Amino acid sequence: MSLLALAVGGRGLVDPDEPVLHVDDEAFLRSRAAFETTRVYGGRPFKLVEHLARLAGSAERVEIGRIDTEELTRLAALALEAAAAPDAMLRLFVTPGRNGAGSPTQVAMVSTLPEGLDEVRARGIKLVSIQLGLDPDLRASAPWLLGGVKSTSYAVNMAAEAEAKRRGADDAVFLGSGDIVLEGPVTNIWWHDDDVLYTPALELGILAGVTRATLLEEAGAAGYEVREGVFPLDHVAAANEAFTSSSIREVMPVVELDGKAIGDGAPGPAARELQEALRRAALR
Ligand SMILES: Cc1ncc(COP(=O)(O)O)c(C=O)c1O
């Protein structure tokens, strides 16, 4: 991935090699900031309004206060125009500013997409489960745990991805205590059995994925029954197929969980159908 264009609140387009934050910004000091990542299809960011709404919610939860969505929209347009890349990744960041007391800094960045995602999609990924040790009922009633917030404190998520790779897998899935399935470090998770699609409920404090919401609509339109709920890992292990979803990776088939094949160990039909539906929705 490389940075193609950068736009900063109050400044406009900035050379991507220029520094834009102060060292005493709380984003740096305490990793207290909010962000969004969306995919750009044909030069247009997919579901930008939904991403901005989630960013506004995250910013409030990490005590940044109100964000300026109009400015962010302008910054995104500037960066997208400068990048002139039909397929890319748009990231938006809002930081609290210097010592958390200054005015928030808003940033839009356009980068190239990670390479090889379609090749990985064709073969499917291996997942390992990683225990978070959280009571799955707690996050909904404990706002300080920042369940469902897209803050920049992603060191645990990245450590889980690295642990998955150390164990010979491609990605991780987080579990709450009782082996309740939550989400991946940067994805939501789904599985499919007997024409029912399952995905963990938002009440578990997982991120309300914009792709997840899109797939809920597309799955309904394609005739799947979808059940959102609280499910143990065994339920995924016994499914016919599984997949993850995210803005950048889109629908990614899961062919192995904790060293055992899911279904027949090959990407499944629901993942294929929903990936196609997602691309159609993105290009409409
Ligand atoms: C923890 C987590 N869950 C789920 C997702 C998927 O969200 P979206 O579909 O909005 O990209 C992400 C995306 O970054 C994430 O970080």
Side-chain angles (χ1 to χ4, degrees):
M1 277 184 290
S2 62
L3 186 55
L4 300 172
L6 168 66
V8 182
R11 295 176 65 181
L13 275 182
V14 172
D15 182 332
D17 290 330
E18 280 283 309
V20 295
L21 293 183
H22 289 99
V23 75
D24 56 355
D25 192 309
E26 283 265 304
F28 176 72
L29 293 176
R30 303 191 196 280
S31 201
R32 183 166 68 81
F35 80 110
E36 282 297 319
T37 307
T38 187
R39 186 164 170 142
V40 177
Y41 296 88
R44 289 182 304 148
F46 186 48
K47 303 255 171 174
L48 183 59
V49 170
E50 288 80 352
H51 282 282
L52 286 169
R54 191 170 68 186
L55 185 63
S58 299
E60 278 197 13
R61 296 278 303 281
V62 299
E63 310 289 332
I64 295 177
R66 242 176 203 289
I67 63 167
D68 183 344
T69 48
E70 279 176 21
E71 180 183 59
L72 275 163
T73 307
R74 275 195 306 277
L75 295 173
L78 271 179
L80 284 166
E81 198 189 337
D87 297 309
M89 173 161 81
L90 169 68
R91 282 181 290 178
L92 305 172
F93 286 80
V94 188
T95 82
R98 307 191 75 175
N99 289 312
S103 49
T105 305
Q106 306 202 128
V107 176
M109 293 159 54
V110 179
S111 311
T112 56
L113 287 168
E115 279 175 20
L117 287 175
D118 285 332
E119 288 77 6
V120 178
R121 194 178 341 277
R123 69 166 160 77
I125 59 170
K126 299 176 183 177
L127 282 190
V128 290
S129 57
I130 300 258
Q131 183 54 254
L132 272 184
L134 276 176
D135 174 348
D137 294 330
L138 186 63
R139 283 206 287 190
S141 60
W144 58 90
L145 292 177
L146 298 182
V149 172
K150 203 161 162 70
S151 87
T152 51
S153 310
Y154 260 45
V156 167
N157 302 45
M158 296 304 100
E161 265 194 13
E163 176 63 20
K165 296 211 162 100
R166 266 193 294 278
R167 294 193 203 168
D170 301 289
D171 202 358
V173 56
F174 287 131
L175 303 178
S177 47
D179 284 352
I180 298 301
V181 184
L182 299 173
E183 64 189 328
V186 295
T187 64
N188 291 110
I189 183 159
W190 303 74
W191 57 103
H192 176 215
D193 220 355
D194 296 333
D195 267 340
V196 180
L197 276 178
Y198 298 87
T199 196
L202 297 183
E203 288 68 35
L204 289 163
I206 59 170
L207 191 73
V210 174
T211 321
R212 179 184 181 281
T214 308
L215 294 185
L216 285 173
E217 279 172 28
E218 296 296 334
Y224 290 97
E225 185 191 331
V226 185
R227 287 191 206 150
E228 299 171 73
V230 180
F231 305 102
L233 186 66
D234 290 358
H235 206 260
V236 187
N240 290 333
E241 70 168 297
F243 53 91
T244 64
S245 68
S246 80
S247 297
I248 299 304
R249 301 179 190 180
E250 303 174 292
V251 176
M252 195 55 88
V254 175
V255 293
E256 194 181 291
L257 173 64
D258 290 333
K260 295 205 183 83
I262 298 270
D264 61 4
R272 196 172 317 114
E273 193 177 353
L274 290 171
Q275 169 66 16
E276 285 168 9
L278 177 64
R279 282 276 172 106
R280 275 198 303 276
L283 294 168
R284 264 202 288 273

